[in-house]
Amino acid sequence: MTEPPVRGPASYFPSIEKTYGLPISEWKARVRAAYPGKHMELVARLKSEFGMGHGHANAVVAHTLAEDGLK
């Protein structure tokens, strides 16, 4: 059987890794290094410091916060 399609923020992960050249684990570590911070503050940081697009930054932050039980 085939795996169900990935949905939600994780669906962006292959594109993020390809576009920015780092594994998702590294992006999540960068988000966690900026704790504590509000969702949009963390998104803005990824955008301004690393040139990440809004959708990609939002996906990484949303997934990381959810994974850490902060959202």
Side-chain angles (χ1 to χ4, degrees):
M1 272 199 170
T2 61
E3 296 284 326
V6 176
R7 299 185 188 271
S11 67
Y12 288 90
F13 290 176
S15 178
I16 292 168
E17 291 178 331
K18 181 179 178 184
T19 301
Y20 304 104
L22 293 172
I24 292 302
S25 60
E26 177 63 27
W27 291 113
K28 288 181 176 184
R30 291 176 185 210
V31 169
R32 290 179 175 118
Y35 283 175
K38 294 182 179 181
H39 181 103
M40 290 310 293
E41 293 170 345
L42 298 168
V43 169
R45 181 177 175 152
L46 290 179
K47 291 170 62 175
S48 66
E49 291 186 23
F50 306 107
M52 191 174 276
H54 181 82
H56 285 166
N58 190 58
V60 172
V61 170
H63 196 274
T64 305
L65 292 174
E67 192 172 75
D68 294 349
L70 299 174
K71 183 166 183 171

